[in-house]
C-alpha cells in the first residue's frame, strides 16, 4: 500500500463517515445510508486491507455519538465490512476476465454494487429473523423495491470511482447531486409511507367508503362497504354507483350537482341494494374532491349501516306506543271501575228490595248486573295489559299448573285439536299469581285454537333457560340476570306475517272477523307477564304456525302451600267505627250504605285531608280506615300513615279501580278491595281486616 492508497482511504472514509448521517428510508423496517456510495468506490479503488477498514470507519460517528446500543453498532460495522470485502472480491473476479478495458471496468463496477447490496440485505434479514423472529418476507429487505433503491445508490459509487481514476477534478460533480438524491429518495419514501397509512385507514375504517369518478363509476372501495353491499372489490370497480344505491330522481340530483361542481357536500338516508337483492338502509355522506385548479376530480361517499339502529328505533317506538296505550287503558279502567261499582252495587241492592210480584223489573235489573259484570271483566283485561293490577304472587311449580289445567283446556279447544304436553320434570319454580298464570295459558291456548280452525296440534312445553342473551337481543330493555323458566305454547296453525306479528300484543288489534274477538287476549298476556317480571317472545311464519314463549325468573324457594279458606263461623256484621275515604261520590255513598246496613258506624270523606279532619272531629277511636289508593291532594297510603300517627292501632283496608302496587306499603299490598266489588266481597274483607290483630307503628315492618 502506497501513500496514494492511504490518501484515498482517508478521503473516502471521511466522506463515508459524514454520509452515515444521511439515511434514506427504503421500506417500513429498514433504511440505507448514503455512505454506501463511498464503500463501493473504495472496493474499486483500494486494496482489501483498507476496504476492510472502511466498514469500521463509516460507523465511527455512531460509536462516538452512541447512536445505537453497542451490539447493534458492532453488527452494522461487521455487516458493511463483509459487504465491502464481498464487493471487492466481485470486482477482482470480473476484472480478471478477458473483456475490453472499458467493458471490464463497467462490469466490475456493476458486480461490486450488486454483491454489496445483496450481501448487506441478506445479513440484515438473517439478523432480524434470529433476533426478532421476523420473516424475510415481512422485513421486505429482499423485495425488488428495496434492492433497486440501494443499488441506485451503490451505482453512484461506481461513477465516483471512475471520476477518481480519470479526472479527480470531476469528483465534486458526482458528490454534489448526492444531497438532491437523498432529498428525492426521502420524499419518495415518505410518500410511500403516507400512501400506506392512508390505505390502512381506508381499508380498516368501520364506515363503508367508496370513491366514485366523474362518470359515477366506482374507482375504489373499502372492506366495510364491500361487506355492506355484498360485493367483492373486483365486482365493484367500474360498476355504476346507481346500481348499488338506486336513488330516486330527487335523491340523485344532489350527486349530479356534486359531479358538476355545483355543490361539495351531501348527506341523507338512502337505500342500498345488496348483491343478493336485499335492502339495507344507510346514512350517506358524500364529499367532492377538487384539484389545485378547483376542478372536480372525484367524490368520496361514506355509508353507515343504519339497519340495526332503525330496528332498535322501531322497537323503542313500539315500546313507547305500548306504554302509552297501557297508561290510557289504565286510566280508562279506573274511571270505568268506579262507574261499574256504582252500577253493579246499586242494581244488586235494588234486586234485594224487590218482591216476587215484580219479576219484570227484577229481570231488567239482572240484565244490568250481568252487563256490569261483563264490563268489569273487560276492564280487568285492560288492567292486565296496563300492568295496574295488584297481584298475589306465590311460588308455583309450572308443571303442576299446566297438568291441572289439561282437562279444562281439552274442553276449551275442542276434540279436533290434539294437545301434547312436553313438561321438563326438572323445571324450576316461579313466583307468580296463579290465577294470572292460568289466564295466560288459557288465552294462549284459545289464540292457538282460533289459528287451527281445521284442526292441528297444540304443544305446551316447559324448560329451564340458563342464558338470557336472546331475550336482551330482542327486548326493549335488558332482562334481569339469572336463569329463567320457559313456558311455551306452540300451534300448527296458519301463522302470521311480520306486520301482524309486530302488532299482535296491541290492545283491540285482531285479525278475526267482527264479533269474534275483542283483541284483548294477547295484550292481557303481555301485561301479566311484564308485571310479573318476565318476558314474552313470539315467533311465527305463514303456513308454519306460531310459538309464544313466556320466560319467568326461576326462584329457589319451595312451592307455597295451598291455604284452604276456613268456613265462615261468625257473623259478618259489626258495630265498629269505620272511616271511608273515596273521591268518587257514587262509590263512597254506596260503600256507606252497605256498611251502615251491616251495623257499622261510618264516617265519610271525599279525600285524604277531609278524612283527617273527620278523624280529628270524632271523639271515639276509629277501628278501620277504608280508603281509595289514588285520590287528589293525598294518596291512600299517605293518609294511612298520617292516621297511624294519631291512632296507632287503626287497621287499614285499601280499595282501588286500578291499583299500582308500587304505591302500596309492602305489608299492605294483599289487603285491597278490587273495584268493582260485590256487597259480599266488601263486607267479608272489612270483617277480615277488623278481626286481624292490630299492628302499631312501632311493630309495623319497615
Amino acid at each position: 500500500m502506497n501513500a496514494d492508497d492511504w490518501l484515498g482511504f482517508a478521503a473516502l472514509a471521511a466522506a463515508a463517515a459524514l454520509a452515515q448521517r444521511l439515511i434514506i428510508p427504503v421500506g417500513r423496517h429498514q433504511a440505507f445510508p448514503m455512505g454506501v456510495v463511498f464503500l463501493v468506490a473504495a472496493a474499486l479503488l483500494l486494496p482489501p486491507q483498507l476496504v476492510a477498514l472502511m466498514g469500521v470507519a463509516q460507523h465511527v460517528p455512531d460509536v462516538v455519538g452512541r447512536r445505537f446500543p453497542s451490539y447493534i453498532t458492532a453488527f452494522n460495522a461487521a455487516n458493511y465490512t463483509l459487504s465491502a470485502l464481498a464487493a471487492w472480491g466481485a470486482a477482482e473476479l470480473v476484472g480478471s476476465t478477458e473483456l475490453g478495458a472499458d467493458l471490464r471496468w463497467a462490469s466490475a463496477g456493476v458486480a461490486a454494487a450488486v454483491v454489496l447490496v445483496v450481501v448487506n440485505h441478506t445479513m440484515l434479514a438473517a439478523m432480524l429473523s434470529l433476533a426478532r423472529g421476523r420473516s424475510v418476507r415481512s422485513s421486505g429487505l429482499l423485495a425488488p423495491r428495496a434492492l433497486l433503491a440501494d443499488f441506485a445508490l451503490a451505482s453512484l459509487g461506481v461513477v465516483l470511482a471512475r471520476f477518481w481514476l480519470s479526472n479527480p477534478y470531476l469528483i465534486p460533480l458526482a458528490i454534489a447531486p448526492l444531497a438532491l438524491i437523498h432529498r428525492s429518495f426521502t420524499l419518495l419514501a415518505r410518500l410511500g409511507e403516507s400512501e400506506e397509512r392512508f390505505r390502512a385507514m381506508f381499508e380498516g375504517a368501520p364506515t363503508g367508503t367508496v370513491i366514485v369518478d366523474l362518470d359515477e363509476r366506482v374507482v375504489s372501495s373499502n372492506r366495510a362497504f364491500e361487506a355492506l353491499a355484498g360485493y367483492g372489490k373486483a365486482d365493484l370497480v367500474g360498476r355504476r354507483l346507481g346500481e348499488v344505491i338506486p336513488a330516486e330522481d330527487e335523491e340523485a340530483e344532489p350527486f349530479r350537482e356534486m359531479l358538476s361542481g355545483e355543490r361539495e357536500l351531501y348527506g341523507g338516508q338512502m337505500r342500498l341494494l345488496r348483491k343478493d337483492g336485499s335492502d339495507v338502509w344507510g346514512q350517506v355522506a358524500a364529499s367532492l374532491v377538487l384539484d389545485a385548479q378547483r376542478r372536480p376530480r372525484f367524490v368520496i361517499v361514506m355509508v353507515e349501516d343504519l339497519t340495526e339502529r332503525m330496528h332498535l328505533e322501531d322497537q323503542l317506538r313500539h315500546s313507547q306506543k305500548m306504554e302509552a296505550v297501557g297508561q290510557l287503558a289504565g286510566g280508562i279502567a279506573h274511571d270505568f271501575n268506579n262507574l261499574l261499582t256504582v252500577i253493579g252495587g246499586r242494581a244488586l241492592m235494588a234486586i234485594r228490595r224487590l218482591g216476587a210480584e215484580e219479576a219484570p223489573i227484577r229481570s231488567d235489573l239482572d240484565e244490568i248486573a250481568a252487563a256490569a259484570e261483563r264490563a268489569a271483566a273487560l276492564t280487568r283485561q285492560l288492567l292486565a295489559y296496563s300492568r295496574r293490577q295488584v297481584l298475589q304472587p306465590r311460588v308455583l311449580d309450572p308443571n303442576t299448573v299446566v297438568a291441572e289445567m289439561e282437562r279444562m283446556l281439552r274442553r276449551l279447544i275442542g276434540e279436533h285439536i290434539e294437545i301434547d304436553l312436553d313438561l321438563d320434570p326438572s323445571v324450576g319454580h316461579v313466583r307468580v299469581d296463579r290465577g294470572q298464570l292460568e289466564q295466560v295459558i288459557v288465552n294462549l291456548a284459545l289464540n292457538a285454537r282460533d289459528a287451527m280452525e281445521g284442526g292441528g296440534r297444540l304443544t305446551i312445553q316447559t324448560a329451564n333457560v340458563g342464558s338470557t342473551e336472546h331475550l336482551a337481543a330482542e327486548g326493549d330493555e335488558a332482562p334481569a340476570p339469572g336463569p329463567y323458566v320457559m313456558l311455551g305454547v306452540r300451534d300448527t296453525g296458519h301463522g302470521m306475517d311480520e306486520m301482524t306479528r309486530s302488532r299482535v300484543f296491541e290492545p283491540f288489534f285482531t285479525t278475526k272477523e267482527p264479533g269474534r274477538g275483542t283483541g284483548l287476549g294477547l295484550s292481557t298476556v303481555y301485561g301479566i307477564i311484564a308485571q310479573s317480571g318476565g318476558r314474552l317472545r313470539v315467533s311465527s311464519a305463514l303456513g308454519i304456525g306460531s310459538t309464544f314463549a313466556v320466560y319467568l325468573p326461576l326462584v329457589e324457594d319451595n312451592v307455597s302451600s295451598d291455604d284452604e279458606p276456613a268456613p265462615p263461623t261468625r257473623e259478618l256484621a259489626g258495630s265498629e267505627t269505620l272511616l271511608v275515604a273515596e273521591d268518587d261520590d257514587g262509590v263512597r255513598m254506596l260503600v256507606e250504605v252497605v256498611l251502615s246496613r251491616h251495623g257499622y258506624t261510618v264516617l265519610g270523606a271525599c279525600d285524604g285531608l277531609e278524612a283527617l279532619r273527620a278523624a280529628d272531629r270524632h271523639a271515639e277511636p276509629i277501628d278501620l280506615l277504608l280508603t281509595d289508593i289514588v285520590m287528589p291532594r293525598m294518596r291512600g297510603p299517605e293518609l294511612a300513615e298520617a292516621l297511624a300517627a294519631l291512632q296507632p292501632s287503626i287497621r287499614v283496608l285499601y280499595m282501588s279501580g286500578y291499583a299500582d302496587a308500587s304505591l302500596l306499603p309492602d305489608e299492605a299490598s294483599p289487603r285491597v278491595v278490587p273495584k268493582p266489588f260485590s256487597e259480599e266481597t266488601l263486607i267479608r274483607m272489612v270483617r277480615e281486616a277488623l278481626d286481624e290483630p292490630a299492628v302499631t307503628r312501632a311493630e309495623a315492618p319497615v
Side-chain angles (χ1 to χ4, degrees), residues 569-592:
T569 59
R570 63 188 181 279
E571 177 61 39
L572 296 180
S575 59
E576 290 89 346
T577 301
L578 311 181
L579 175 58
V580 178
E582 168 62 58
D583 59 305
D584 188 282
D585 295 337
V587 175
R588 186 179 68 256
M589 292 172 61
L590 175 65
V591 172
E592 291 177 3

Side-chain angles (χ1 to χ4, degrees), residues 335-408:
D335 294 338
F336 264 73
N337 277 332
N338 283 336
L339 296 173
L340 293 173
T341 299
V342 177
I343 294 171
R346 292 293 185 177
L348 292 176
M349 290 175 64
I351 290 173
R352 291 191 179 95
R353 295 194 186 101
L354 294 177
E357 69 280 1
E358 298 175 291
I361 299 178
R362 178 185 294 274
S363 176
D364 291 340
L365 291 174
D366 285 338
E367 289 297 325
I368 293 174
E373 180 58 33
R374 290 194 299 271
L378 183 62
T379 57
R380 282 194 292 271
Q381 289 182 301
L382 288 174
L383 288 174
Y385 171 74
S386 61
R387 288 168 273 176
R388 296 295 193 271
Q389 299 182 109
V390 176
L391 304 179
Q392 296 181 350
R394 303 168 57 200
V395 178
L396 302 174
D397 179 359
N399 286 352
T400 301
V401 176
V402 174
E404 292 178 354
M405 295 182 63
E406 181 181 6
R407 180 175 298 178
M408 180 189 68

Side-chain angles (χ1 to χ4, degrees), residues 28 150 201 347 412 431 497 524 620 652 670 675:
R28 183 184 301 177
D150 293 353
M201 290 187 295
L412 282 176
R431 187 185 301 276
D497 57 24
T524 300
E620 301 296 328
V652 179
K675 299 177 184 177

Side-chain angles (χ1 to χ4, degrees), residues 48-109:
Q49 298 89 336
L50 296 181
V51 172
L53 293 177
M54 282 293 297
V56 177
Q58 178 184 356
H59 291 87
V60 169
D62 293 343
V63 176
V64 175
R66 297 181 179 179
R67 186 178 180 186
F68 303 110
S70 57
Y71 64 90
I72 293 181
T73 301
F75 170 79
N76 287 336
N79 184 9
Y80 281 100
T81 298
L82 293 176
S83 300
L85 287 174
W88 178 86
E92 286 292 315
L93 182 63
V94 174
S96 62
T97 60
E98 299 296 331
L99 298 174
D102 291 339
L103 182 59
R104 186 170 62 250
W105 167 258
S107 300

Side-chain angles (χ1 to χ4, degrees), residues 387 391 431 479-480 484 527-535 551-553:
R387 288 168 273 176
L391 304 179
R431 187 185 301 276
Y484 281 71
I528 291 173
I529 298 306
Q531 191 176 6
S532 301
R535 292 291 185 275
Y551 295 88
L552 293 169

